[in-house]
Amino acid sequence: MVYDNIVLIGFMGCGKSSVGKVLARQLHKKFLDVDTIIEAEQNSSIIDIFETKGEAYFRSLEQKCINELTQNTGQVIATGGGVPIHSTISEKSLIIYIDADFDVIVNRLSARERQKRPLFNDESRARALFDQRKNIYKELATFSVDANQTIPTFIHVIVDFILDKRVK
Ligand code: S3P
């Protein structure tokens, strides 16, 4: 199997975007971030899109965005935490699950970072969402990486896995 793209999945705040930037640099690939693209295209923040147009509309934007991005190849794509739940991701993607525990995520997210995430307003609801989703992430992933430590400590585990595979 030759994969088209590397797609990073995982719960809000697990580090998909930060990992993606490092990975893209190390593998000499282009980095793309679904949330950032949606915000730029809509000229609006995720919070505003949720408030004014609703979650269902945001989910349709995500599906459209991931479909468009995976038309191209040789990229590292960071998804929003809901993409694997609400959208289909091209089967030709090498999917990496950034697997961090909920308590680690909570400690990593600053108050400002939480405010940008409408589904993180209420911590106990976020925890319930995490519990609902984690097995779905794991099942969908080509590879899961233990992300409970800092990025420099686990990035090489991802790179080693990818270098053993064929990606366009
Ligand atoms: C969401 C995750 C967010 C963002 C939106 C919804 C989710 O992205 O897409 O707030 O449903 O998990 P991050 O995973 O980058 O926080």
Side-chain angles (χ1 to χ4, degrees):
M1 163 98 180
V2 183
Y3 297 98
D4 279 353
N5 293 290
I6 296 157
V7 175
L8 305 180
I9 64 167
F11 201 66
M12 291 175 263
C14 69
K16 297 173 294 266
S17 303
S18 309
V19 170
K21 281 177 201 159
V22 177
L23 211 52
R25 200 164 53 233
Q26 291 197 10
L27 299 172
H28 306 287
K29 294 188 184 297
K30 190 173 169 187
F31 172 68
L32 296 151
D33 186 303
V34 170
D35 282 340
T36 308
I37 293 171
I38 291 176
E39 289 187 318
E41 282 180 359
Q42 299 293 308
N43 195 22
S44 183
S45 67
I46 305 275
I47 282 277
D48 284 342
I49 301 170
F50 264 73
E51 272 174 14
T52 60
K53 308 254 177 80
E55 180 174 344
Y57 180 75
F58 175 72
R59 298 304 175 194
S60 69
L61 296 176
E62 283 186 316
Q63 179 71 76
K64 185 170 156 278
C65 184
I66 193 74
N67 285 351
E68 284 172 8
L69 293 183
T70 50
Q71 299 293 307
N72 297 319
T73 62
Q75 314 162 108
V76 175
I77 303 170
T79 59
V83 168
I85 317 298
H86 300 276
S87 296
T88 13
I89 302 172
S90 162
E91 284 173 11
K92 293 180 187 163
S93 310
L94 193 163
I95 301 180
I96 310 273
Y97 171 32
I98 311 298
D99 184 3
D101 294 344
F102 187 76
D103 292 329
V104 170
I105 289 172
V106 168
N107 286 330
R108 261 187 212 159
L109 273 184
S110 64
R112 196 163 162 269
E113 286 299 318
R114 276 189 201 212
Q115 274 165 15
K116 290 187 200 162
R117 295 171 165 88
L119 300 179
F120 223 108
N121 278 344
D122 178 330
E123 195 176 308
S124 60
R125 285 172 79 175
R127 187 184 288 271
L129 201 59
F130 177 88
D131 290 338
Q132 272 171 34
R133 288 177 172 183
K134 64 182 177 206
N135 289 334
I136 302 174
Y137 294 141
K138 202 156 239 163
E139 275 165 27
L140 199 67
T142 320
F143 181 64
S144 299
V145 65
D146 180 343
N148 287 313
Q149 284 174 324
T150 61
I151 293 170
T153 59
F154 67 79
I155 193 86
H156 68 277
V157 179
I158 307 178
V159 173
D160 285 353
F161 179 83
I162 293 172
L163 289 179
D164 224 32
K165 302 279 170 226
R166 292 168 69 201
V167 185
K168 282 186 183 164

